[in-house]
Amino acid sequence: MQEPIKNIAKTEVLSLKEQVSYQPGQIVSKTLAQNPAVSVTLFSFDRGEEISTHSSGGDALVTCLDGVGRITIDQEEYFLHEGESIVMPAGHPHAVYGEERFKMLLVVIF
């Protein structure tokens, strides 16, 4: 049976933003949980890196863990700073861009 939570220590206090590192010119992702109902992933974006416009079958909660990210939903731009969150609604076109180096927690509920 697949572990519900993976790639992260259990029963240990930790900082999520320390669980994924920046890499020059790259987007780094680390999946913490994935099943048909939910996906939980940490991302780090180097400045200027992006996930281009797409849509998802689930509502996606983005929480900024570090830096500044630009989230575009239905062609409207939102800037997320550390500690801020936004929901990208299911079926709506959205994109994510590293305005600065940027780390986020993405939780998608299907």
Side-chain angles (χ1 to χ4, degrees):
M1 180 175 162
Q2 183 180 352
E3 282 189 82
I5 300 284
K6 61 183 182 180
N7 299 325
I8 195 165
K10 296 178 176 80
T11 66
E12 180 179 319
V13 176
L14 47 81
S15 169
L16 286 177
K17 72 180 178 182
E18 302 302 323
Q19 302 303 305
V20 63
S21 59
Y22 291 113
Q23 297 294 326
Q26 294 184 32
I27 298 171
V28 178
S29 67
K30 183 176 184 179
T31 301
L32 303 182
Q34 188 153 14
N35 63 45
V38 67
S39 171
V40 180
T41 309
L42 292 170
F43 285 91
S44 71
F45 290 73
D46 196 16
R47 182 183 184 145
E49 294 301 313
E50 71 178 319
I51 296 174
S52 60
T53 303
H54 64 286
S55 60
S56 170
D59 287 334
L61 171 68
V62 174
T63 299
C64 178
L65 303 174
D66 187 45
V68 179
R70 183 175 73 216
I71 310 298
T72 305
I73 305 168
D74 293 326
Q75 299 181 359
E76 186 166 344
E77 293 182 344
Y78 304 87
F79 292 87
L80 285 186
H81 301 84
E82 186 173 339
E84 297 178 332
S85 299
I86 193 166
V87 173
M88 302 181 297
H92 290 253
H94 58 268
V96 181
Y97 178 82
E99 195 68 25
E100 297 176 3
R101 291 192 336 167
F102 166 62
K103 291 182 182 181
M104 71 179 202
L105 173 67
L106 176 67
V107 179
V108 183
I109 307 297
F110 298 98

PDB file of all heavy atoms in Angstrom, residues 5-10 12-23 28-32 40-44 65-66 103-105:
ATOM      1  N   ILE A   5       1.276  10.042   3.098  1.00  0.00           N
ATOM      2  CA  ILE A   5       2.203  11.173   3.127  1.00  0.00           C
ATOM      3  C   ILE A   5       3.595  10.615   2.883  1.00  0.00           C
ATOM      4  O   ILE A   5       4.008   9.652   3.531  1.00  0.00           O
ATOM      5  CB  ILE A   5       2.176  11.895   4.497  1.00  0.00           C
ATOM      6  CG1 ILE A   5       0.778  12.430   4.815  1.00  0.00           C
ATOM      7  CG2 ILE A   5       3.221  12.990   4.551  1.00  0.00           C
ATOM      8  CD1 ILE A   5       0.381  13.669   4.065  1.00  0.00           C
ATOM      9  N   LYS A   6       4.331  11.224   1.947  1.00  0.00           N
ATOM     10  CA  LYS A   6       5.656  10.719   1.611  1.00  0.00           C
ATOM     11  C   LYS A   6       6.640  11.869   1.465  1.00  0.00           C
ATOM     12  O   LYS A   6       6.242  13.026   1.428  1.00  0.00           O
ATOM     13  CB  LYS A   6       5.599   9.892   0.324  1.00  0.00           C
ATOM     14  CG  LYS A   6       5.129  10.681  -0.888  1.00  0.00           C
ATOM     15  CD  LYS A   6       5.019   9.783  -2.104  1.00  0.00           C
ATOM     16  CE  LYS A   6       4.584  10.603  -3.322  1.00  0.00           C
ATOM     17  NZ  LYS A   6       4.455   9.786  -4.514  1.00  0.00           N
ATOM     18  N   ASN A   7       7.914  11.529   1.400  1.00  0.00           N
ATOM     19  CA  ASN A   7       8.985  12.504   1.143  1.00  0.00           C
ATOM     20  C   ASN A   7       9.119  13.582   2.201  1.00  0.00           C
ATOM     21  O   ASN A   7       9.647  14.662   1.922  1.00  0.00           O
ATOM     22  CB  ASN A   7       8.797  13.175  -0.230  1.00  0.00           C
ATOM     23  CG  ASN A   7       8.846  12.194  -1.360  1.00  0.00           C
ATOM     24  OD1 ASN A   7       9.583  11.220  -1.323  1.00  0.00           O
ATOM     25  ND2 ASN A   7       8.037  12.431  -2.374  1.00  0.00           N
ATOM     26  N   ILE A   8       8.637  13.313   3.418  1.00  0.00           N
ATOM     27  CA  ILE A   8       8.715  14.304   4.481  1.00  0.00           C
ATOM     28  C   ILE A   8       8.705  13.569   5.820  1.00  0.00           C
ATOM     29  O   ILE A   8       8.057  12.528   5.949  1.00  0.00           O
ATOM     30  CB  ILE A   8       7.554  15.322   4.366  1.00  0.00           C
ATOM     31  CG1 ILE A   8       7.825  16.565   5.217  1.00  0.00           C
ATOM     32  CG2 ILE A   8       6.213  14.701   4.670  1.00  0.00           C
ATOM     33  CD1 ILE A   8       6.927  17.729   4.861  1.00  0.00           C
ATOM     34  N   ALA A   9       9.451  14.100   6.781  1.00  0.00           N
ATOM     35  CA  ALA A   9       9.534  13.463   8.098  1.00  0.00           C
ATOM     36  C   ALA A   9       8.182  13.520   8.809  1.00  0.00           C
ATOM     37  O   ALA A   9       7.447  14.505   8.694  1.00  0.00           O
ATOM     38  CB  ALA A   9      10.593  14.141   8.944  1.00  0.00           C
ATOM     39  N   LYS A  10       7.872  12.473   9.529  1.00  0.00           N
ATOM     40  CA  LYS A  10       6.652  12.426  10.326  1.00  0.00           C
ATOM     41  C   LYS A  10       7.011  12.629  11.797  1.00  0.00           C
ATOM     42  O   LYS A  10       8.135  12.377  12.199  1.00  0.00           O
ATOM     43  CB  LYS A  10       5.945  11.091  10.118  1.00  0.00           C
ATOM     44  CG  LYS A  10       5.478  10.888   8.682  1.00  0.00           C
ATOM     45  CD  LYS A  10       4.811   9.543   8.486  1.00  0.00           C
ATOM     46  CE  LYS A  10       4.260   9.389   7.105  1.00  0.00           C
ATOM     47  NZ  LYS A  10       5.215   9.027   6.096  1.00  0.00           N
ATOM     48  N   GLU A  12       7.629  15.212  13.436  1.00  0.00           N
ATOM     49  CA  GLU A  12       8.766  16.119  13.592  1.00  0.00           C
ATOM     50  C   GLU A  12       8.323  17.520  13.191  1.00  0.00           C
ATOM     51  O   GLU A  12       7.719  17.702  12.136  1.00  0.00           O
ATOM     52  CB  GLU A  12       9.901  15.655  12.667  1.00  0.00           C
ATOM     53  CG  GLU A  12      11.134  16.492  12.716  1.00  0.00           C
ATOM     54  CD  GLU A  12      12.218  15.959  11.784  1.00  0.00           C
ATOM     55  OE1 GLU A  12      12.409  14.735  11.721  1.00  0.00           O
ATOM     56  OE2 GLU A  12      12.850  16.801  11.119  1.00  0.00           O
ATOM     57  N   VAL A  13       8.591  18.491  14.035  1.00  0.00           N
ATOM     58  CA  VAL A  13       8.282  19.876  13.695  1.00  0.00           C
ATOM     59  C   VAL A  13       9.278  20.325  12.631  1.00  0.00           C
ATOM     60  O   VAL A  13      10.487  20.135  12.791  1.00  0.00           O
ATOM     61  CB  VAL A  13       8.366  20.786  14.942  1.00  0.00           C
ATOM     62  CG1 VAL A  13       8.142  22.244  14.555  1.00  0.00           C
ATOM     63  CG2 VAL A  13       7.363  20.342  15.996  1.00  0.00           C
ATOM     64  N   LEU A  14       8.766  20.880  11.536  1.00  0.00           N
ATOM     65  CA  LEU A  14       9.658  21.287  10.451  1.00  0.00           C
ATOM     66  C   LEU A  14       9.099  22.504   9.739  1.00  0.00           C
ATOM     67  O   LEU A  14       7.940  22.865   9.904  1.00  0.00           O
ATOM     68  CB  LEU A  14       9.893  20.134   9.479  1.00  0.00           C
ATOM     69  CG  LEU A  14       8.666  19.350   8.996  1.00  0.00           C
ATOM     70  CD1 LEU A  14       7.957  20.068   7.884  1.00  0.00           C
ATOM     71  CD2 LEU A  14       9.095  17.975   8.565  1.00  0.00           C
ATOM     72  N   SER A  15       9.936  23.125   8.961  1.00  0.00           N
ATOM     73  CA  SER A  15       9.568  24.271   8.139  1.00  0.00           C
ATOM     74  C   SER A  15       9.363  23.780   6.711  1.00  0.00           C
ATOM     75  O   SER A  15      10.299  23.252   6.102  1.00  0.00           O
ATOM     76  CB  SER A  15      10.677  25.320   8.191  1.00  0.00           C
ATOM     77  OG  SER A  15      10.454  26.305   7.215  1.00  0.00           O
ATOM     78  N   LEU A  16       8.157  23.950   6.187  1.00  0.00           N
ATOM     79  CA  LEU A  16       7.890  23.471   4.828  1.00  0.00           C
ATOM     80  C   LEU A  16       8.817  24.111   3.806  1.00  0.00           C
ATOM     81  O   LEU A  16       9.272  23.461   2.881  1.00  0.00           O
ATOM     82  CB  LEU A  16       6.434  23.713   4.438  1.00  0.00           C
ATOM     83  CG  LEU A  16       5.408  22.795   5.078  1.00  0.00           C
ATOM     84  CD1 LEU A  16       4.002  23.202   4.648  1.00  0.00           C
ATOM     85  CD2 LEU A  16       5.670  21.338   4.739  1.00  0.00           C
ATOM     86  N   LYS A  17       9.126  25.399   3.969  1.00  0.00           N
ATOM     87  CA  LYS A  17       9.965  26.057   2.965  1.00  0.00           C
ATOM     88  C   LYS A  17      11.384  25.508   2.941  1.00  0.00           C
ATOM     89  O   LYS A  17      12.085  25.665   1.945  1.00  0.00           O
ATOM     90  CB  LYS A  17       9.947  27.571   3.133  1.00  0.00           C
ATOM     91  CG  LYS A  17      10.680  28.109   4.315  1.00  0.00           C
ATOM     92  CD  LYS A  17      10.553  29.628   4.333  1.00  0.00           C
ATOM     93  CE  LYS A  17      11.223  30.228   5.523  1.00  0.00           C
ATOM     94  NZ  LYS A  17      11.033  31.698   5.529  1.00  0.00           N
ATOM     95  N   GLU A  18      11.794  24.834   3.996  1.00  0.00           N
ATOM     96  CA  GLU A  18      13.126  24.216   4.016  1.00  0.00           C
ATOM     97  C   GLU A  18      13.130  22.828   3.371  1.00  0.00           C
ATOM     98  O   GLU A  18      14.189  22.221   3.209  1.00  0.00           O
ATOM     99  CB  GLU A  18      13.648  24.124   5.451  1.00  0.00           C
ATOM    100  CG  GLU A  18      13.749  25.456   6.173  1.00  0.00           C
ATOM    101  CD  GLU A  18      14.629  26.472   5.468  1.00  0.00           C
ATOM    102  OE1 GLU A  18      15.664  26.079   4.884  1.00  0.00           O
ATOM    103  OE2 GLU A  18      14.269  27.659   5.471  1.00  0.00           O
ATOM    104  N   GLN A  19      11.966  22.329   2.983  1.00  0.00           N
ATOM    105  CA  GLN A  19      11.848  20.975   2.434  1.00  0.00           C
ATOM    106  C   GLN A  19      12.063  20.906   0.926  1.00  0.00           C
ATOM    107  O   GLN A  19      12.094  19.828   0.345  1.00  0.00           O
ATOM    108  CB  GLN A  19      10.484  20.371   2.789  1.00  0.00           C
ATOM    109  CG  GLN A  19      10.206  20.305   4.271  1.00  0.00           C
ATOM    110  CD  GLN A  19      11.271  19.533   5.017  1.00  0.00           C
ATOM    111  OE1 GLN A  19      11.567  18.381   4.698  1.00  0.00           O
ATOM    112  NE2 GLN A  19      11.870  20.172   6.016  1.00  0.00           N
ATOM    113  N   VAL A  20      12.187  22.060   0.283  1.00  0.00           N
ATOM    114  CA  VAL A  20      12.455  22.115  -1.153  1.00  0.00           C
ATOM    115  C   VAL A  20      13.460  23.244  -1.383  1.00  0.00           C
ATOM    116  O   VAL A  20      13.348  24.306  -0.778  1.00  0.00           O
ATOM    117  CB  VAL A  20      11.151  22.297  -1.969  1.00  0.00           C
ATOM    118  CG1 VAL A  20      10.460  23.606  -1.670  1.00  0.00           C
ATOM    119  CG2 VAL A  20      11.374  22.128  -3.447  1.00  0.00           C
ATOM    120  N   SER A  21      14.464  22.990  -2.210  1.00  0.00           N
ATOM    121  CA  SER A  21      15.530  23.982  -2.395  1.00  0.00           C
ATOM    122  C   SER A  21      15.414  24.670  -3.753  1.00  0.00           C
ATOM    123  O   SER A  21      14.794  24.150  -4.678  1.00  0.00           O
ATOM    124  CB  SER A  21      16.898  23.320  -2.255  1.00  0.00           C
ATOM    125  OG  SER A  21      17.039  22.296  -3.210  1.00  0.00           O
ATOM    126  N   TYR A  22      16.015  25.848  -3.822  1.00  0.00           N
ATOM    127  CA  TYR A  22      16.094  26.572  -5.091  1.00  0.00           C
ATOM    128  C   TYR A  22      17.201  25.969  -5.946  1.00  0.00           C
ATOM    129  O   TYR A  22      18.246  25.571  -5.437  1.00  0.00           O
ATOM    130  CB  TYR A  22      16.412  28.057  -4.849  1.00  0.00           C
ATOM    131  CG  TYR A  22      15.291  28.828  -4.205  1.00  0.00           C
ATOM    132  CD1 TYR A  22      15.413  29.328  -2.913  1.00  0.00           C
ATOM    133  CD2 TYR A  22      14.117  29.079  -4.904  1.00  0.00           C
ATOM    134  CE1 TYR A  22      14.388  30.059  -2.330  1.00  0.00           C
ATOM    135  CE2 TYR A  22      13.081  29.813  -4.316  1.00  0.00           C
ATOM    136  CZ  TYR A  22      13.219  30.293  -3.037  1.00  0.00           C
ATOM    137  OH  TYR A  22      12.216  31.009  -2.468  1.00  0.00           O
ATOM    138  N   GLN A  23      16.958  25.924  -7.258  1.00  0.00           N
ATOM    139  CA  GLN A  23      17.970  25.508  -8.218  1.00  0.00           C
ATOM    140  C   GLN A  23      18.003  26.560  -9.329  1.00  0.00           C
ATOM    141  O   GLN A  23      16.947  26.938  -9.847  1.00  0.00           O
ATOM    142  CB  GLN A  23      17.627  24.136  -8.819  1.00  0.00           C
ATOM    143  CG  GLN A  23      17.588  23.005  -7.811  1.00  0.00           C
ATOM    144  CD  GLN A  23      18.959  22.714  -7.210  1.00  0.00           C
ATOM    145  OE1 GLN A  23      19.978  22.834  -7.871  1.00  0.00           O
ATOM    146  NE2 GLN A  23      18.965  22.337  -5.946  1.00  0.00           N
ATOM    147  N   VAL A  28      11.584  23.364  -9.032  1.00  0.00           N
ATOM    148  CA  VAL A  28      11.762  22.100  -8.321  1.00  0.00           C
ATOM    149  C   VAL A  28      10.449  21.761  -7.628  1.00  0.00           C
ATOM    150  O   VAL A  28       9.817  22.640  -7.031  1.00  0.00           O
ATOM    151  CB  VAL A  28      12.899  22.204  -7.272  1.00  0.00           C
ATOM    152  CG1 VAL A  28      13.048  20.909  -6.498  1.00  0.00           C
ATOM    153  CG2 VAL A  28      14.212  22.584  -7.954  1.00  0.00           C
ATOM    154  N   SER A  29      10.020  20.505  -7.723  1.00  0.00           N
ATOM    155  CA  SER A  29       8.798  20.096  -7.036  1.00  0.00           C
ATOM    156  C   SER A  29       9.075  18.870  -6.183  1.00  0.00           C
ATOM    157  O   SER A  29       9.959  18.069  -6.491  1.00  0.00           O
ATOM    158  CB  SER A  29       7.673  19.805  -8.024  1.00  0.00           C
ATOM    159  OG  SER A  29       7.962  18.667  -8.804  1.00  0.00           O
ATOM    160  N   LYS A  30       8.308  18.750  -5.116  1.00  0.00           N
ATOM    161  CA  LYS A  30       8.417  17.620  -4.199  1.00  0.00           C
ATOM    162  C   LYS A  30       7.004  17.233  -3.787  1.00  0.00           C
ATOM    163  O   LYS A  30       6.317  17.992  -3.104  1.00  0.00           O
ATOM    164  CB  LYS A  30       9.251  18.009  -2.979  1.00  0.00           C
ATOM    165  CG  LYS A  30       9.495  16.882  -2.001  1.00  0.00           C
ATOM    166  CD  LYS A  30      10.409  17.372  -0.880  1.00  0.00           C
ATOM    167  CE  LYS A  30      10.775  16.264   0.075  1.00  0.00           C
ATOM    168  NZ  LYS A  30      11.675  16.742   1.137  1.00  0.00           N
ATOM    169  N   THR A  31       6.550  16.066  -4.239  1.00  0.00           N
ATOM    170  CA  THR A  31       5.206  15.593  -3.932  1.00  0.00           C
ATOM    171  C   THR A  31       5.166  15.043  -2.516  1.00  0.00           C
ATOM    172  O   THR A  31       5.983  14.200  -2.148  1.00  0.00           O
ATOM    173  CB  THR A  31       4.773  14.505  -4.932  1.00  0.00           C
ATOM    174  OG1 THR A  31       4.815  15.061  -6.239  1.00  0.00           O
ATOM    175  CG2 THR A  31       3.377  13.992  -4.632  1.00  0.00           C
ATOM    176  N   LEU A  32       4.207  15.530  -1.723  1.00  0.00           N
ATOM    177  CA  LEU A  32       4.038  15.059  -0.351  1.00  0.00           C
ATOM    178  C   LEU A  32       2.881  14.073  -0.235  1.00  0.00           C
ATOM    179  O   LEU A  32       2.911  13.188   0.620  1.00  0.00           O
ATOM    180  CB  LEU A  32       3.808  16.239   0.596  1.00  0.00           C
ATOM    181  CG  LEU A  32       4.894  17.314   0.601  1.00  0.00           C
ATOM    182  CD1 LEU A  32       4.560  18.391   1.622  1.00  0.00           C
ATOM    183  CD2 LEU A  32       6.267  16.717   0.869  1.00  0.00           C
ATOM    184  N   VAL A  40      -0.776  17.141  -2.853  1.00  0.00           N
ATOM    185  CA  VAL A  40      -0.061  18.117  -2.030  1.00  0.00           C
ATOM    186  C   VAL A  40       1.391  18.140  -2.513  1.00  0.00           C
ATOM    187  O   VAL A  40       2.075  17.121  -2.455  1.00  0.00           O
ATOM    188  CB  VAL A  40      -0.127  17.752  -0.527  1.00  0.00           C
ATOM    189  CG1 VAL A  40       0.619  18.792   0.305  1.00  0.00           C
ATOM    190  CG2 VAL A  40      -1.574  17.612  -0.065  1.00  0.00           C
ATOM    191  N   THR A  41       1.826  19.307  -2.995  1.00  0.00           N
ATOM    192  CA  THR A  41       3.157  19.409  -3.586  1.00  0.00           C
ATOM    193  C   THR A  41       3.827  20.710  -3.159  1.00  0.00           C
ATOM    194  O   THR A  41       3.184  21.763  -3.131  1.00  0.00           O
ATOM    195  CB  THR A  41       3.063  19.380  -5.127  1.00  0.00           C
ATOM    196  OG1 THR A  41       2.271  18.267  -5.535  1.00  0.00           O
ATOM    197  CG2 THR A  41       4.435  19.280  -5.767  1.00  0.00           C
ATOM    198  N   LEU A  42       5.115  20.631  -2.840  1.00  0.00           N
ATOM    199  CA  LEU A  42       5.944  21.810  -2.598  1.00  0.00           C
ATOM    200  C   LEU A  42       6.642  22.178  -3.903  1.00  0.00           C
ATOM    201  O   LEU A  42       7.077  21.291  -4.642  1.00  0.00           O
ATOM    202  CB  LEU A  42       6.998  21.523  -1.534  1.00  0.00           C
ATOM    203  CG  LEU A  42       6.501  21.288  -0.123  1.00  0.00           C
ATOM    204  CD1 LEU A  42       7.635  20.775   0.753  1.00  0.00           C
ATOM    205  CD2 LEU A  42       5.911  22.570   0.457  1.00  0.00           C
ATOM    206  N   PHE A  43       6.766  23.467  -4.169  1.00  0.00           N
ATOM    207  CA  PHE A  43       7.461  23.944  -5.361  1.00  0.00           C
ATOM    208  C   PHE A  43       8.439  25.045  -4.978  1.00  0.00           C
ATOM    209  O   PHE A  43       8.153  25.847  -4.084  1.00  0.00           O
ATOM    210  CB  PHE A  43       6.481  24.567  -6.365  1.00  0.00           C
ATOM    211  CG  PHE A  43       5.642  23.594  -7.131  1.00  0.00           C
ATOM    212  CD1 PHE A  43       4.414  23.205  -6.648  1.00  0.00           C
ATOM    213  CD2 PHE A  43       6.062  23.094  -8.352  1.00  0.00           C
ATOM    214  CE1 PHE A  43       3.607  22.328  -7.353  1.00  0.00           C
ATOM    215  CE2 PHE A  43       5.268  22.215  -9.070  1.00  0.00           C
ATOM    216  CZ  PHE A  43       4.037  21.825  -8.572  1.00  0.00           C
ATOM    217  N   SER A  44       9.557  25.109  -5.688  1.00  0.00           N
ATOM    218  CA  SER A  44      10.420  26.289  -5.656  1.00  0.00           C
ATOM    219  C   SER A  44      10.639  26.737  -7.097  1.00  0.00           C
ATOM    220  O   SER A  44      10.838  25.916  -7.990  1.00  0.00           O
ATOM    221  CB  SER A  44      11.751  25.999  -4.965  1.00  0.00           C
ATOM    222  OG  SER A  44      12.562  25.173  -5.761  1.00  0.00           O
ATOM    223  N   LEU A  65       5.322  30.324   0.600  1.00  0.00           N
ATOM    224  CA  LEU A  65       6.187  30.004   1.732  1.00  0.00           C
ATOM    225  C   LEU A  65       7.412  30.905   1.803  1.00  0.00           C
ATOM    226  O   LEU A  65       8.024  31.043   2.861  1.00  0.00           O
ATOM    227  CB  LEU A  65       6.638  28.543   1.642  1.00  0.00           C
ATOM    228  CG  LEU A  65       5.524  27.499   1.584  1.00  0.00           C
ATOM    229  CD1 LEU A  65       6.112  26.116   1.338  1.00  0.00           C
ATOM    230  CD2 LEU A  65       4.697  27.516   2.851  1.00  0.00           C
ATOM    231  N   ASP A  66       7.791  31.499   0.649  1.00  0.00           N
ATOM    232  CA  ASP A  66       8.991  32.322   0.591  1.00  0.00           C
ATOM    233  C   ASP A  66       8.963  33.121  -0.705  1.00  0.00           C
ATOM    234  O   ASP A  66       8.443  32.639  -1.720  1.00  0.00           O
ATOM    235  CB  ASP A  66      10.234  31.414   0.617  1.00  0.00           C
ATOM    236  CG  ASP A  66      11.538  32.183   0.743  1.00  0.00           C
ATOM    237  OD1 ASP A  66      11.617  33.114   1.565  1.00  0.00           O
ATOM    238  OD2 ASP A  66      12.492  31.846   0.010  1.00  0.00           O
ATOM    239  N   LYS A 103       8.759  30.109  -3.229  1.00  0.00           N
ATOM    240  CA  LYS A 103       8.388  28.751  -2.824  1.00  0.00           C
ATOM    241  C   LYS A 103       6.914  28.744  -2.463  1.00  0.00           C
ATOM    242  O   LYS A 103       6.404  29.700  -1.872  1.00  0.00           O
ATOM    243  CB  LYS A 103       9.205  28.289  -1.610  1.00  0.00           C
ATOM    244  CG  LYS A 103      10.672  28.067  -1.917  1.00  0.00           C
ATOM    245  CD  LYS A 103      11.417  27.560  -0.708  1.00  0.00           C
ATOM    246  CE  LYS A 103      12.907  27.391  -1.011  1.00  0.00           C
ATOM    247  NZ  LYS A 103      13.643  26.872   0.161  1.00  0.00           N
ATOM    248  N   MET A 104       6.237  27.639  -2.828  1.00  0.00           N
ATOM    249  CA  MET A 104       4.811  27.551  -2.530  1.00  0.00           C
ATOM    250  C   MET A 104       4.429  26.125  -2.170  1.00  0.00           C
ATOM    251  O   MET A 104       5.092  25.161  -2.563  1.00  0.00           O
ATOM    252  CB  MET A 104       3.974  28.030  -3.718  1.00  0.00           C
ATOM    253  CG  MET A 104       3.985  27.099  -4.916  1.00  0.00           C
ATOM    254  SD  MET A 104       2.948  27.760  -6.247  1.00  0.00           S
ATOM    255  CE  MET A 104       2.601  26.249  -7.164  1.00  0.00           C
ATOM    256  N   LEU A 105       3.344  26.047  -1.414  1.00  0.00           N
ATOM    257  CA  LEU A 105       2.681  24.789  -1.135  1.00  0.00           C
ATOM    258  C   LEU A 105       1.418  24.787  -1.981  1.00  0.00           C
ATOM    259  O   LEU A 105       0.629  25.731  -1.936  1.00  0.00           O
ATOM    260  CB  LEU A 105       2.322  24.673   0.352  1.00  0.00           C
ATOM    261  CG  LEU A 105       1.478  23.458   0.737  1.00  0.00           C
ATOM    262  CD1 LEU A 105       2.266  22.168   0.545  1.00  0.00           C
ATOM    263  CD2 LEU A 105       0.989  23.587   2.159  1.00  0.00           C
TER     264      LEU A 105
END
